[in-house]
Amino acid sequence: TEHMLQERYSYKDEIAQALKKYEEKAAKSEIIKEPLLLEKRISLNFEGATDEETLEMIVKILQEHHIKATFFIPAMEIAENENIAKLVLNNGHDMQNYTLTGTRHMHEWEAEDVIAELCRSEAIYKKYYGYCPKIVKFNATKLTDDLLYEAGACGLSNVVSSDRYLNYTSFSKEETVKDYVRALPYGAIVSIKLSGYLDETEYTGNTEAALDKKAGLNTEEKESLAESNLLRVVEWIAAAIESDGYETVYVKEIEEGDLGDLSQSYTALREQNNGKEAEPINYVYTTDRKAA
């Protein structure tokens, strides 16, 4: 099936043009990373593939808690089931590029392979979305300069960088989720993996229970358990975001906010500081738990 899809969406001319742009270093994607905000605003993202029924339940949870999200689903999954795109877009969410297959560690690929993957994915997204995404998120991939030029050559203006990843094993208690959300900085970019494990580059110590490793479960039982726990994690996260009063925005909208007088103070202090390094503060004495 993968070979047939790649043949169907070969687009040799587009790939050749993108390769030429890459060789000329004609365009380079900018990185979207967590901004400094004064407003209580975060971006919630979903990555990877899941079945249509599970996706429908996730969308329903988001609607119930008045949350909008950005979905990064491999283009091949969209080509095989166009209802996925309709389900997400018709319910007010955004979809961006997650490459053709969502393969990990694409920084290790040759430039022509990355460009072919991105060009084919853009063609599929255009067919089923009606537009070419301008933002790409790579799966567990180091954002090297070469990769940014490769993405830029394919017409992608931005690449998302984030280090806050969750999946179906991340929480076993709702109270822990509330603490996690409460501690998020304004401007946080949070990604929930819809399937599979967290790569070692994505694991941040949130996982409480390796539910997929429970003894005595067959493959079907493990998949069912993973699905039910994914939905539970999404429900807890969505409820905590709403309860805490966060505004959710698409990742394409998350940008440095207007810091007002604070920004002017920073500028004046930087000029006054003239590059001098501050002495480290080793101890902060406080009775407030939240400060720690």
Side-chain angles (χ1 to χ4, degrees):
T1 302
E2 181 176 339
H3 176 73
M4 289 173 61
L5 281 168
Q6 289 184 356
E7 284 297 314
R8 183 180 173 189
Y9 298 103
S10 60
Y11 291 90
K12 293 179 181 178
D13 291 342
E14 288 85 345
I15 294 170
Q17 290 171 13
L19 276 169
K20 184 179 179 183
K21 286 182 182 178
Y22 168 71
E23 289 164 1
E24 295 171 350
K25 296 293 187 287
K28 183 179 182 181
S29 292
E30 297 292 327
I31 296 177
I32 294 176
K33 55 186 178 180
E34 291 189 354
L36 176 64
L37 296 179
L38 297 180
E39 301 85 7
K40 203 168 187 179
R41 184 180 301 146
I42 62 173
S43 168
L44 182 64
N45 307 284
F46 291 88
E47 296 184 30
T50 188
D51 61 86
E52 187 179 339
E53 185 180 353
T54 302
L55 187 61
E56 190 171 358
M57 287 188 278
I58 289 172
V59 168
K60 185 178 179 182
I61 290 170
L62 297 178
Q63 284 180 321
E64 289 173 352
H65 295 285
H66 312 289
I67 288 171
K68 62 181 184 179
T70 303
F71 284 78
F72 294 91
I73 297 176
M76 193 168 289
E77 297 289 331
I78 302 294
E80 291 178 346
N81 183 2
E82 62 182 284
N83 286 334
I84 291 174
K86 292 177 182 177
L87 181 60
V88 171
L89 294 173
N90 291 347
N91 283 283
H93 302 291
D94 190 32
M95 293 191 78
Q96 295 293 337
N97 193 314
Y98 199 55
T99 75
L100 188 67
T101 55
T103 308
R104 298 170 188 263
H105 307 156
M106 284 181 66
H107 60 277
E108 298 173 354
W109 290 23
E110 295 295 329
E112 52 265 36
D113 295 328
V114 174
I115 287 171
E117 175 106 347
L118 292 177
C119 283
R120 289 177 180 134
S121 65
E122 284 287 273
I124 293 172
Y125 290 134
K126 183 177 182 180
K127 178 176 180 179
Y128 293 104
Y129 294 1
Y131 65 91
C132 283
K134 293 299 179 184
I135 296 172
V136 62
K137 195 171 194 311
F138 292 97
N139 185 8
T141 296
K142 186 177 179 181
L143 302 184
T144 61
D145 260 10
D146 275 347
L147 198 68
L148 296 178
Y149 278 114
E150 289 155 9
C154 297
L156 291 151
S157 58
N158 294 96
V159 178
V160 179
S161 172
S162 64
D163 57 8
R164 303 180 194 279
Y165 289 94
L166 306 170
N167 75 346
Y168 69 96
T169 68
S170 292
F171 302 106
S172 59
K173 298 175 184 177
E174 187 173 10
E175 197 57 40
T176 312
V177 180
K178 291 178 180 178
D179 291 340
Y180 173 82
V181 170
R182 197 176 296 123
L184 288 173
Y186 298 177
I189 298 175
V190 180
S191 294
I192 298 178
K193 289 292 187 85
L194 293 175
S195 60
Y197 60 90
L198 294 183
D199 187 83
E200 61 182 9
T201 62
E202 300 169 332
Y203 176 69
T204 54
N206 295 310
T207 303
E208 295 181 345
L211 299 170
D212 59 332
K213 296 181 180 179
K214 280 193 173 183
L217 297 180
N218 59 38
T219 302
E220 187 176 338
E221 288 170 330
K222 286 180 180 178
E223 288 177 354
S224 176
L225 185 63
E227 179 187 311
S228 62
N229 279 284
L230 171 65
L231 291 172
R232 184 171 63 176
V233 167
V234 173
E235 170 64 41
W236 285 346
I237 286 286
I241 288 172
E242 182 184 33
S243 175
D244 240 41
Y246 281 96
E247 177 193 0
T248 51
V249 298
Y250 303 137
V251 73
K252 66 185 179 185
E253 297 172 346
I254 200 87
E255 57 185 1
E256 204 77 38
D258 181 7
L259 301 180
D261 293 339
L262 184 60
S263 178
Q264 294 175 15
S265 299
Y266 281 157
T267 302
L269 286 170
R270 287 192 184 107
E271 290 174 354
Q272 180 183 336
N273 189 49
N274 197 27
K276 180 183 175 184
E277 291 187 3
E279 291 192 14
I281 299 172
N282 295 319
Y283 299 98
V284 177
Y285 296 97
T286 176
T287 56
D288 189 347
R289 263 176 82 255
K290 291 182 181 178

